[in-house]
Amino acid sequence: VTRTVTELKLRGILDSRARVTVEAELTINGTHTGLGSAPRAIAPGRLERRRGPDVTLGSVESPALRQAFCGHDINGQRDCDALLDEIGSVGEAGADLTLAVSLAYARAVAASQAKPLYRYLSGLLNGLMDTVPKLPGLMVNVFSGGIHLDGPTAGFQQVMVLPATGTLIDDIRLASDVFAAAQRMTEQRFGQVGLSASSGLLVPLDSVGQLELAASAIVAAGGSTACTLGVDVAAEHLAAGPGRYRFGSQELDSTAFARRLAEFATRYPLSYIEDPFDPADIAGWRQLRSMVTMAISLVGDDLFATDAERIDADLADGVLLKLSQAGTVTATLRAAAAARSAGMLIAVSHRSGETEDTAMCDLAAAVGADLIKVGGPRRGDRLAKYNQLLRLAEHVDGWRSPDPSMTELKGTP
Ligand code: 2PG
Ligand code: MG
């Protein structure tokens, strides 16, 4: 089948922080149209592909994209993304524009094949990796800190709860209960608290206080046997010079910071640590790995920046996949395949500034990701993702139906 791009529209739209990001609308053969948009981080990692120049709301012009796509036959995601890479590499489009177009093309083709997006994406994995679509486990942001907190605090960017009841529906229920318990407990102490960009609670507590409270909230929600905790240290943003980190009121060298993290791993039910060190602090990564048990996954976000070439199983146990870091669907799938062939865990992630796009959920299902993080269960930009996962649960094979013995969602206080 020939797939001629008959129309490509680009526009500036609002993200969840009311910053402007881009959306693409692409039509093939005049019949099938797909939408795609790019999220926007508060502060992208050093190794990430760059966003393009700021765009304004409404129609956006990109002569290079128009010329390469409009009226041309583009016969597969790989061709589409190779073209986008080329345009990106000569500086004609940033990773935000290329991602938006790549996702819009994927959705247009999936629609023309009457396939849900996850099925289409899983078809693209042929020859790249062997996988059966499955739903990921959740990592739910409870407390935010670091640069996600308004104001200068040197702490973890996210404290998350990882429910593991065995079904998505019960996981969502339990995580929502833990979140509600954490909110109730913090509001009893501090009065009303705000929400961060990722819909985590913004509390006047340091990281230790947050871990304590999250552990208590798990108990209060009756989740002690089914929940662990995870943190995104986002250490790149804590770095105070090579191999030095600001943490609370202290400045620690790499070894002292590794010891601190390893100590947390013994005091709290931690199962996941993301970006414990700066990407340049290779010694730090190796050191922590030798200090913590196998029960804890060390995962690279800013470390690998969703780049297949950077992925290295000697440094971490897992890879965080962010479509906006890779810049195209194909580059993201390549990173997933590289992670799997290295025997590493795969986690898929949202960004701090999100749109209503839910492609990351389909991506997670298609690559059979182990984990996904889409923020706290508050506000539409994050709920869109939880709700897409619920829809996917009806499709994806191998996902058990809910256990009726689990209690009903208790709801927010
Ligand atoms: C992260 C993400 C999302 P940001 O660090 O993993 O939680 O944050 O989009 O700000 O990079
Ligand atoms: Mg991160």
Side-chain angles (χ1 to χ4, degrees):
V1 271
T2 307
R3 295 187 195 111
T4 310
V5 175
T6 46
E7 192 162 22
L8 176 61
K9 290 189 206 160
L10 303 170
R11 61 178 73 92
I13 60 166
L14 292 177
D15 78 357
S16 53
R17 301 170 63 235
R19 305 299 205 272
V20 183
T21 187
V22 285
E23 177 174 83
E25 187 175 326
L26 184 149
T27 305
I28 52 171
N29 299 337
T31 49
H32 292 96
T33 298
L35 277 180
S37 62
R40 266 196 79 165
I42 291 175
R46 246 184 6 251
L47 302 179
E48 285 189 40
R49 280 169 192 256
R50 292 292 130 186
R51 289 181 52 236
D54 280 345
V55 291
T56 50
L57 288 177
S59 182
V60 170
E61 270 312 312
S62 168
L65 284 171
R66 174 163 297 283
Q67 216 182 17
F69 279 79
C70 291
H72 293 281
D73 296 346
I74 295 175
N75 283 324
Q77 192 71 42
R78 279 182 205 185
D79 289 359
C80 167
D81 292 347
L83 210 53
L84 289 169
D85 268 344
E86 214 176 287
I87 296 167
S89 67
V90 294
E92 299 273 357
D96 48 351
L97 262 184
T98 59
L99 174 62
V101 174
S102 182
L103 285 174
Y105 180 85
R107 286 204 172 92
V109 178
S112 75
Q113 300 173 343
K115 279 185 190 161
L117 185 61
Y118 87 91
R119 275 272 166 225
Y120 169 76
L121 294 176
S122 110
L124 298 178
L125 291 169
N126 267 336
L128 261 184
M129 67 195 263
D130 266 342
T131 186
V132 180
K134 78 167 184 62
L135 285 187
L138 302 177
M139 299 193 274
V140 179
N141 192 183
V142 177
F143 296 115
S144 290
I147 59 162
H148 283 190
L149 184 69
D150 304 325
T153 53
F156 300 149
Q157 187 166 289
Q158 299 180 307
V159 171
M160 297 173 283
V161 57
L162 284 71
T165 63
T167 78
L168 176 78
I169 291 176
D170 291 336
D171 280 355
I172 293 181
R173 281 181 178 150
L174 182 54
S176 299
D177 286 348
V178 173
F179 190 100
Q183 184 165 9
R184 199 167 48 239
M185 293 160 91
T186 41
E187 292 190 343
Q188 274 161 7
R189 277 171 70 180
F190 306 110
Q192 211 176 348
V193 295
L195 286 177
S196 74
S198 297
S199 287
L201 298 166
L202 288 170
V203 291
L205 286 171
D206 63 10
S207 295
V208 177
Q210 292 179 9
L211 284 169
E212 291 285 347
L213 221 140
S216 312
I218 289 177
V219 175
S224 326
T225 56
C227 278
T228 55
L229 290 173
V231 294
D232 181 2
V233 180
E236 181 177 320
H237 302 299
L238 301 177
R244 300 197 66 80
Y245 300 90
R246 282 175 288 112
F247 190 63
S249 54
Q250 294 175 299
E251 196 182 304
L252 304 170
D253 67 19
S254 202
T255 304
F257 196 42
R259 283 207 193 100
R260 203 71 212 283
L261 294 170
E263 178 203 320
F264 288 149
T266 60
R267 285 227 310 263
Y268 304 101
L270 271 188
S271 65
Y272 174 97
I273 303 179
E274 178 181 323
D275 281 347
F277 302 97
D278 187 273
D281 188 1
I282 299 304
W285 281 91
R286 290 190 201 280
Q287 192 163 210
L288 182 61
R289 244 179 149 202
S290 63
M291 289 181 190
V292 295
T293 69
M294 296 275 286
I296 296 190
S297 304
L298 302 183
V299 172
D301 167 13
D302 294 334
L303 175 68
F304 301 129
T306 317
D307 180 346
E309 307 290 313
R310 289 184 196 279
I311 289 170
D312 180 351
D314 285 340
L315 300 182
D317 305 303
V319 177
L320 199 74
L321 295 183
K322 286 173 167 166
L323 285 153
S324 62
Q325 285 177 339
T328 63
V329 167
T330 304
T332 311
L333 297 180
R334 285 215 179 98
R340 270 295 182 256
S341 75
M344 298 168 84
L345 168 153
I346 296 177
V348 171
S349 173
H350 68 147
R351 304 305 309 251
S352 37
E354 268 298 331
T355 70
E356 57 270 58
D357 199 304
T358 56
M360 74 187 71
C361 303
D362 290 67
L363 169 77
V367 302
D370 303 280
L371 293 165
I372 190 168
K373 61 171 186 175
V374 302
R378 292 291 184 278
R379 300 193 294 218
D381 45 301
R382 312 296 142 174
L383 295 187
K385 279 70 171 178
Y386 287 105
N387 293 341
Q388 177 67 2
L389 289 170
L390 287 166
R391 286 178 210 112
L392 286 164
E394 294 169 16
H395 288 262
V396 175
D397 300 330
W399 195 258
R400 290 197 281 123
S401 52
D403 173 357
S405 70
M406 285 293 292
T407 51
E408 281 303 302
L409 178 66
K410 288 179 215 118
T412 51

